[in-house]
Amino acid sequence: MIYSVRMRAAQGGRHEDGGRHISGAECLVDFSKINKSIEEMVQRATFHTRGQADFINITVEAVTENEVVYAPLLPITTEEVSDVVSGRQAARRALLQAGVTLTAVELGFQSLLLLKDSMRGAMLICATTGQRLDQSGLRGVRVSRMDSFNEIAFSKQLKAMALENTHTKEALLLASKVAAAPGVVAELCWSDDPEYTTGYVASQAGYIRLPHLKRYGDTLGGRIFFVRPEVSVDQLIEYLENQPVLITTDRER
Ligand code: AMP
């Protein structure tokens, strides 16, 4: 048996009552690691660069081994860009290359840039028309129940690329789960952590890190999953939110 541990934290009350989203985290761990995971999540919500949370919700749920599916870690590359303008141009190119139309790329960027504050989850946007497909409004769809299959092998692989930090680890696990979803064409993300400017474009072809996708100090982050027009949105959301997925590295395949 493994356990899904999830945290969401807000300031000014619960998210449902209009509290401002501060932080979220998720992992799939053995029983013996539940306490440590909770401790780390509380720390993170309490001392976050976006502010101090006054509402922290932690959920622990058992997951049976036969519910788990496996997905490969995406291959990682970094495209060196010198500033936000070239970073966003590179992101646009990568999205087009992955099969998102120009209209959808532009409407996607607009949706992120028009946000007044960060969402807790992601927008599902049609990769052809650029229309928003989910009904989750300012909450967004939150991907959950994913982790590395083997934490040591995963960390080792990232360390070899000098990428062993929490932001990259979590983003890679999420992006690998998302890219494995039927109907997802590509993902665009930049962080809501004001000190972290690196964002990425991911697709089944790989995870492209872009060191400048927003300006230093900017607290606005966001995520878009560009999906095929024929996708069943309900089934996709069910997979993203509930399907337990363990991400495997090269060595484990
Ligand atoms: P982060 O990379 O954690 O700073 O998150 C950047 C943005 O991605 C957030 O503002 C949310 O909109 C979105 N996001 C964060 N975590 C998730 C998640 N688990 N599932 C979907 N979207 C997320």
Side-chain angles (χ1 to χ4, degrees):
M1 187 86 87
I2 53 174
Y3 292 81
S4 158
V5 185
R6 305 193 294 281
M7 179 276 286
R8 62 187 172 98
Q11 192 178 58
R14 304 161 66 94
H15 295 93
E16 301 84 324
D17 301 334
R20 176 172 177 263
H21 178 64
I22 294 291
S23 170
E26 27 261 306
C27 60
L28 284 176
V29 291
D30 291 332
F31 183 79
S32 62
K33 293 197 181 132
I34 295 177
N35 280 344
K36 185 165 173 276
S37 307
I38 294 176
E39 216 170 284
E40 282 170 8
M41 286 178 183
V42 172
Q43 284 284 320
R44 179 168 167 162
T46 315
F47 302 102
H48 201 276
T49 44
R50 281 172 59 76
Q52 186 172 355
D54 51 33
F55 167 78
I56 304 173
N57 178 298
I58 293 193
T59 308
V60 181
E61 266 175 337
V63 170
T64 54
E65 309 271 343
N66 58 11
E67 286 177 75
V68 175
V69 300
Y70 298 84
L73 181 67
L74 292 173
I76 310 156
T77 52
T78 299
E79 187 166 340
E80 293 301 344
V81 288
S82 50
D83 54 23
V84 178
V85 174
S86 53
R88 290 185 182 168
Q89 273 166 359
R92 285 181 166 89
R93 278 196 303 273
L95 289 167
L96 291 171
Q97 176 88 33
V100 182
T101 65
L102 185 59
T103 309
V105 170
E106 291 311 328
L107 288 174
F109 264 92
Q110 237 178 61
S111 315
L112 280 191
L113 296 170
L114 287 174
L115 285 176
K116 297 267 179 292
D117 199 359
S118 295
M119 294 163 64
R120 210 165 100 204
M123 301 181 206
L124 296 189
I125 287 189
C126 174
T128 303
T129 65
Q131 296 306 304
R132 176 111 184 240
L133 298 178
D134 65 288
Q135 310 285 322
S136 61
L138 288 175
R139 173 188 183 274
V141 176
R142 190 140 182 116
V143 187
S144 194
R145 295 181 171 84
M146 65 283 183
D147 213 322
S148 54
F149 171 67
N150 178 336
E151 166 62 19
I152 295 171
F154 179 51
S155 292
K156 211 167 157 186
Q157 186 160 334
L158 293 193
K159 203 168 178 181
M161 302 176 79
L163 291 177
E164 207 208 358
N165 62 73
T166 309
H167 276 293
T168 310
K169 276 180 151 180
E170 291 184 352
L172 269 168
L173 296 173
L174 184 150
S176 299
K177 173 174 177 178
V178 171
V184 170
V185 176
E187 176 186 351
L188 169 67
C189 168
W190 61 82
S191 177
D192 51 26
D193 178 339
E195 294 175 0
Y196 195 72
T197 62
T198 302
Y200 65 85
V201 169
S203 69
Q204 274 189 8
Y207 177 101
I208 306 170
R209 296 177 65 245
L210 298 156
H212 303 279
L213 262 192
K214 69 166 197 186
R215 286 178 185 82
Y216 187 86
D218 191 347
T219 53
L220 261 181
R223 260 193 173 90
I224 296 179
F225 305 146
F226 291 96
V227 304
R228 286 188 217 298
E230 68 276 11
V231 84
S232 156
V233 173
D234 289 346
Q235 275 176 25
L236 178 58
I237 293 177
E238 171 63 25
Y239 167 89
L240 296 172
E241 292 184 340
N242 295 320
Q243 173 65 56
V245 178
L246 288 176
I247 307 300
T248 57
T249 59
D250 292 342
R251 285 168 175 273
E252 294 137 9
R253 269 170 249 145

